[in-house]
Amino acid sequence: DSGVTQTPKHLITATGQRVTLRCSPRSGDLSVYWYQQSLDQGLQFLIQYYNGEERAKGNILERFSAQQFPDLHSELNLSSLELGDSALYFCASSPRTGSGANVLTFGAGSRLTVL
Amino acid sequence: GQQVMQIPQYQHVQEGEDFTTYCNSSTTLSNIQWYKQRPGGHPVFLIQLVKSGEVKKQKRLTFQFGEAKKNSSLHITATQTTDVGTYFCAGIGAGSYQLTFGKGTKLSVIP
C-alpha cells in the first residue's frame, strides 16, 4: 500500500457519460498529480494541484476537469466520454518540501473502460 | 515544451544478460528520476539524480546523470525475472517544477 488511495479501481461506462475519479494523497503530502496511461503508452501528465490551488496543467482535455479540496483529496471529472478516453488514470502525491518534494508516490490507479 | 525521449521502447533479454535504457531531454534538467512499473502495477520511485555526472547504485542497478544534465541511463547487471516491468525516466526542467515522463522501456526477461 503506497498510501495514495484511488477509487474506484475499475469503472465501465458508456460514451457520452460523465465519471468522477477520486484520490486521497499520502498523509502529509500537499501536492496531487493526475496522469493518464493508455495501453502500452507512457504517462501523460494531466494536471497538478498544490494545497488546493492548480499548479500546472498538461495535456488535459476541456472535457476533463479536476479540483483539490480543503482536506487535500482530489477529484478528476471526465465528461462526454469517448472510446479513446479508456485508460488507466493514476493519481500521485508528493511531499511539501525538501529534496523529495518532487518525488511522486502513485496510487494503484483507476481503470476506465468506455463502451 | 520540454520533451523527454527514452530508448529503447522494448527490450527482451535472456536472464543473466545486462540491460540498459537511455533517457534524453530536449532541455537541461535540474534533476532526473527513475520509476519502475511492474505489469499490472503502478509506477514506483527508484531514485533521483541531481548533480552533473552523478552515478548511483542500487544493488544490480546503476543510474547515471550526464555531465550536461540532459541525459541519463539505467543499467541492470545480470537481469533476473524480478526485473520485468517498464522503466520510466522523468525529468524536471531547470527553473521548473513540472515532472515530464519519458514513454518508458518495457523489459522482458526470458528465463
Side-chain angles (χ1 to χ4, degrees):
Chain A
D1 182 6
S2 67
V4 178
T5 304
Q6 286 188 250
T7 57
K9 283 190 170 57
H10 302 276
L11 191 54
I12 301 174
T13 189
T15 54
Q17 294 298 305
R18 172 190 170 95
V19 298
T20 297
L21 309 180
R22 182 187 166 104
C23 169
S24 293
R26 202 176 54 158
S27 179
D29 287 357
L30 296 183
S31 278
V32 168
Y33 308 73
W34 287 97
Y35 286 86
Q36 180 193 55
Q37 186 175 47
S38 302
L39 192 63
D40 276 349
Q41 293 294 309
L43 292 158
Q44 295 295 319
F45 170 66
L46 296 178
I47 200 162
Q48 178 198 357
Y49 283 86
Y50 178 81
N51 203 20
E53 299 288 326
E54 183 183 303
R55 188 115 188 234
K57 215 168 188 175
N59 297 323
I60 188 167
L61 300 172
E62 285 192 11
R63 299 184 286 110
F64 296 0
S65 65
Q67 56 182 326
Q68 186 180 29
F69 295 87
D71 68 352
L72 301 178
H73 90 272
S74 178
E75 293 180 357
L76 178 66
N77 301 296
L78 315 174
S79 61
S80 302
L81 285 168
E82 302 174 358
L83 295 178
D85 297 328
S86 296
L88 195 51
Y89 291 85
F90 284 110
C91 170
S93 68
S94 67
R96 179 180 179 179
T97 58
S99 61
N102 293 310
V103 173
L104 304 187
T105 300
F106 283 82
S110 292
R111 182 170 293 284
L112 173 65
T113 302
V114 182
L115 300 176
Chain B
Q2 179 185 321
Q3 291 188 330
V4 176
M5 311 298 292
Q6 199 173 343
I7 56 168
Q9 190 175 357
Y10 301 95
Q11 185 80 55
H12 304 274
V13 300
Q14 202 77 33
E15 188 173 17
E17 290 182 340
D18 292 357
F19 158 77
T20 305
T21 172
Y22 300 90
C23 185
N24 289 288
S25 170
S26 57
T27 59
T28 302
L29 301 171
S30 60
N31 67 53
I32 194 154
Q33 300 172 11
W34 286 90
Y35 293 78
K36 176 183 178 181
Q37 184 178 18
R38 293 181 187 275
H42 58 275
V44 174
F45 172 75
L46 294 177
I47 207 160
Q48 176 172 266
L49 304 171
V50 179
K51 299 176 185 175
S52 167
E54 189 170 13
V55 178
K56 286 189 176 180
K57 291 191 176 185
Q58 288 180 350
K59 297 183 181 178
R60 295 177 295 104
L61 277 61
T62 302
F63 304 84
Q64 294 190 359
F65 200 9
E67 293 290 340
K69 300 185 76 173
K70 293 181 76 173
N71 58 76
S72 181
S73 65
L74 157 59
H75 179 82
I76 302 179
T77 304
T79 55
Q80 300 175 358
T81 54
T82 53
D83 295 325
V84 163
T86 301
Y87 293 84
F88 292 98
C89 64
I92 298 177
S96 171
Y97 44 77
Q98 185 170 333
L99 195 60
T100 300
F101 279 81
K103 289 193 180 298
T105 296
K106 189 172 184 178
L107 173 65
S108 300
V109 178
I110 306 161

